[in-house]
Structure formats: structure tokens, C-alpha cells
Amino acid sequence: MQESILKEASLLIGKHGLRKFSLDDLAAGLGMSKKTIYKYFSGKDAIIAGYFDEVLGTDRANTLGEMHKAVGWRDKFQAVVFSYHKYKLPLRVIEEAHKFYIQEWEKVEAYRKFKVGLLTDLLHEAVEQGGCRPTIRPEILIYMIEKSSFIIYESEFLRKHGLTLRQAWEEVYRVLVEGIFEKK
């Protein structure tokens, strides 16, 4: 039942945002009373916390699973950058968490750091195995990865340029892995 509640909540959060989705709408969408929802969650904040835990938890599990299956650092790097989560975590929901749901925001920030850590480890692995040019300075690339990871907070930039978060990450990935100049 908790999964059904979170699934419906994710749809409402995607549609209305964190602050505007209501337990009344949730109960109506599930065809149950709010009293039934309270058997599983203590309230709206607990549902929001469960939503973030589910999104970030499934993303973490998927990332680690795909990394485990990947062959070579390049495929592992791609698995980290393009991971999957069970429910959508729209950019505007991340913004809303930043402004109004500090605990959930801290979960997003901790997860961003987790992913940067994975990418940093992969970069060190690539350098040690000769997968990067010998002239590459890992500390510069690590700094670039760290700074690029803040793109999740740049919603105004993304909107201005008509980019989704995934599209922005795809471009960051291409630049880091393929470079910026055409191959001759």
C-alpha cells in the first residue's frame, strides 16, 4: 500500500509540486480515505520524505547496478551520469525542495556528492589504467566534474536555453569524454 501511495503522490508532485499537492487529492486519486493514508504515513511531510527516499534510493541502486555490469571505466562513467530513478524528480521539485524542504534538499545534495565521488573514483581509475591522455591533470577534471554537478541548481540557465537536466548532463558528458574539437 505504501508503494501505491508513493506512486500516486509522485504523479501529484509532478503535476502540482511539493507544496500544492494535497492529501485530499491523493486520497481521491487512490480511491481511499485520508485516514487510510495516515495508517501508512504520518502526514504530507512523511509522504514527501518517502518520495525523495524512493527516488534517490532507486537511482542509487540503479547506478551501482549498472556500474557493476559495465565493462571499462567509460561505460561506468556513463552509468553514473545517466542513471534511472523510479519516479521523476522534476527540476522544479528540486527547486522547491531547496526553498521549502531543507531535509529533502540535504538528501539531494548528499546524493549529488555521492555521484561526484563515484565519478572522481572512476577518473582516478581511468588515469591509473592509461584510459586518459597522459597530459590530463586529474585534479582539474575532478574540479570540472564537481562544478558541473551544480547544474542541477541552475534551473534558470536550463530554462533560458531550453534544456532538460538530462540534456545538460549529456552535453557535459560529451565534453568530458569526447572533447570539444572535431576529430580530423
Side-chain angles (χ1 to χ4, degrees), residues 98-182:
H98 187 211
K99 291 179 185 174
F100 304 107
Y101 294 89
I102 301 306
Q103 287 181 314
E104 308 327 313
W105 173 254
E106 289 171 353
K107 291 175 187 177
V108 171
E109 178 60 12
Y111 190 66
R112 183 194 64 78
K113 289 178 181 177
F114 163 75
K115 285 198 141 190
V116 168
L118 291 176
L119 294 173
T120 299
D121 291 346
L122 288 170
L123 180 59
H124 282 298
E125 181 183 320
V127 168
E128 289 169 10
Q129 294 177 0
C132 293
R133 292 189 321 268
T135 57
I136 293 293
R137 301 221 19 209
E139 64 275 11
I140 297 295
L141 279 179
I142 290 166
Y143 181 78
M144 289 171 60
I145 289 168
E146 172 74 26
K147 292 303 180 185
S148 296
S149 75
F150 285 105
I151 201 161
I152 67 169
Y153 310 140
E154 298 295 333
S155 56
E156 196 59 41
F157 169 82
L158 296 173
R159 273 195 283 278
K160 178 181 174 185
H161 296 285
L163 292 168
T164 65
L165 190 53
R166 181 171 179 93
Q167 289 169 328
W169 271 114
E170 286 171 351
E171 188 62 27
V172 168
Y173 175 81
R174 270 194 297 279
V175 169
L176 287 173
V177 174
E178 299 172 13
I180 61 172
F181 295 108
E182 290 288 337

Side-chain angles (χ1 to χ4, degrees):
M1 184 56 74
Q2 280 184 320
E3 188 171 322
S4 297
I5 293 169
L6 286 175
K7 184 177 181 181
E8 183 67 21
S10 75
L11 296 173
L12 292 170
I13 289 168
K15 185 176 180 181
H16 302 293
L18 296 171
R19 293 186 319 146
K20 291 186 179 177
F21 97 91
S22 72
L23 290 182
D24 289 330
D25 290 340
L26 182 58
L30 291 166
M32 65 176 61
S33 69
K34 287 194 313 188
K35 187 175 180 179
T36 303
I37 293 171
Y38 283 119
K39 288 180 183 178
Y40 299 95
F41 293 94
S42 61
K44 183 176 171 176
D45 287 345
I47 293 169
I48 290 171
Y51 165 77
F52 274 88
D53 290 345
E54 189 69 24
V55 168
L56 299 174
T58 57
D59 196 284
R60 178 185 295 258
N62 181 270
T63 297
L64 295 174
E66 290 299 314
M67 282 182 66
H68 182 71
K69 290 191 282 185
V71 178
W73 72 269
R74 192 179 281 220
D75 290 340
K76 290 178 184 180
F77 198 91
Q78 190 170 19
V80 174
V81 173
F82 302 113
S83 58
Y84 159 82
H85 45 263
K86 189 173 184 177
Y87 305 123
K88 289 192 178 224
L89 186 59
L91 190 57
R92 64 184 177 84
V93 171
I94 294 172
E95 288 177 308
E96 200 173 356
H98 187 211
K99 291 179 185 174
F100 304 107
Y101 294 89
I102 301 306
Q103 287 181 314
E104 308 327 313
W105 173 254
E106 289 171 353
K107 291 175 187 177
V108 171
E109 178 60 12
Y111 190 66
R112 183 194 64 78
K113 289 178 181 177
F114 163 75
K115 285 198 141 190
V116 168
L118 291 176
L119 294 173
T120 299
D121 291 346
L122 288 170
L123 180 59
H124 282 298
E125 181 183 320
V127 168
E128 289 169 10
Q129 294 177 0
C132 293
R133 292 189 321 268
T135 57
I136 293 293
R137 301 221 19 209
E139 64 275 11
I140 297 295
L141 279 179
I142 290 166
Y143 181 78
M144 289 171 60
I145 289 168
E146 172 74 26
K147 292 303 180 185
S148 296
S149 75
F150 285 105
I151 201 161
I152 67 169
Y153 310 140
E154 298 295 333
S155 56
E156 196 59 41
F157 169 82
L158 296 173
R159 273 195 283 278
K160 178 181 174 185
H161 296 285
L163 292 168
T164 65
L165 190 53
R166 181 171 179 93
Q167 289 169 328
W169 271 114
E170 286 171 351
E171 188 62 27
V172 168
Y173 175 81
R174 270 194 297 279
V175 169
L176 287 173
V177 174
E178 299 172 13
I180 61 172
F181 295 108
E182 290 288 337
K183 293 180 181 165
K184 292 184 179 182

